[in-house]
Amino acid sequence: MGYDNDNIFAKILRHEIPNDTVFEDETILAFNDIAPKTPVHILVIPKAAYVDLEDFTARATALEIGSFFARVGQIARDLGLPGDGYRLVSNNGENAGQLVPHFHVHIMGGQKIQKGSMARGMQG
Ligand code: 5GP
């Protein structure tokens, strides 16, 4: 599947749709999810165009992939999440219910998430 330039996160990156930015640098943008499932619910996306984790890990360089996840960890630390723990989710494709076809990870924290609740939580 090719990259859809009209997906919501592409529009956010082009500043056509506003977002509540948590962190931004030259390669990534992190912003609050519009419909948070947990008290802290942040989406982290690369600025480059990748459809999903499969596309990202197949086409991005190891440096790009490593830098992305290093920044994810740093954002979680900056928010004080590691102490109590947090969940990282990346829905990949149709079976996972991925809604927005621009690779992203969800950082979810601020409350205890029940074991096995991921599917329910992500369906909203
Ligand atoms: P997924 O693709 O992993 O299923 O989830 C996409 C996520 O994007 C959902 O949690 C949804 O609430 C969020 N989302 C959808 N549209 C917008 C938007 O316009 N702004 C923001 N901040 N989040 C959005």
Side-chain angles (χ1 to χ4, degrees), residues 50-58 69 90-92 98 103-105:
Y50 297 105
V51 176
D52 56 13
L53 181 74
E54 160 57 21
D55 189 28
F56 185 55
T57 54
F69 283 101
S90 184
N91 295 317
N92 200 70
Q98 182 181 5
F103 169 56
H104 54 281
V105 298

Side-chain angles (χ1 to χ4, degrees), residues 8-9 12 31-35 43 91 97-100 104 106:
I8 292 167
F9 295 170
I12 285 176
F31 51 99
N32 284 308
D33 195 294
I34 203 168
L43 302 168
N91 295 317
Q98 182 181 5
L99 295 174
V100 181
H104 54 281
H106 300 247

Side-chain angles (χ1 to χ4, degrees), residues 61-78:
T61 64
L63 182 62
E64 213 179 332
I65 296 165
S67 299
F68 178 84
F69 283 101
R71 284 171 168 83
V72 169
Q74 186 62 54
I75 290 166
R77 276 192 295 282
D78 289 347

Side-chain angles (χ1 to χ4, degrees), residues 15-70:
H15 306 288
E16 294 168 14
I17 293 177
N19 76 93
D20 185 10
T21 299
V22 172
F23 176 84
E24 181 172 16
D25 67 11
E26 66 282 2
T27 60
I28 72 158
L29 178 67
F31 51 99
N32 284 308
D33 195 294
I34 203 168
K37 311 291 190 301
T38 47
V40 177
H41 189 169
I42 291 162
L43 302 168
V44 187
I45 67 175
K47 290 188 172 176
Y50 297 105
V51 176
D52 56 13
L53 181 74
E54 160 57 21
D55 189 28
F56 185 55
T57 54
R59 292 198 298 114
T61 64
L63 182 62
E64 213 179 332
I65 296 165
S67 299
F68 178 84
F69 283 101

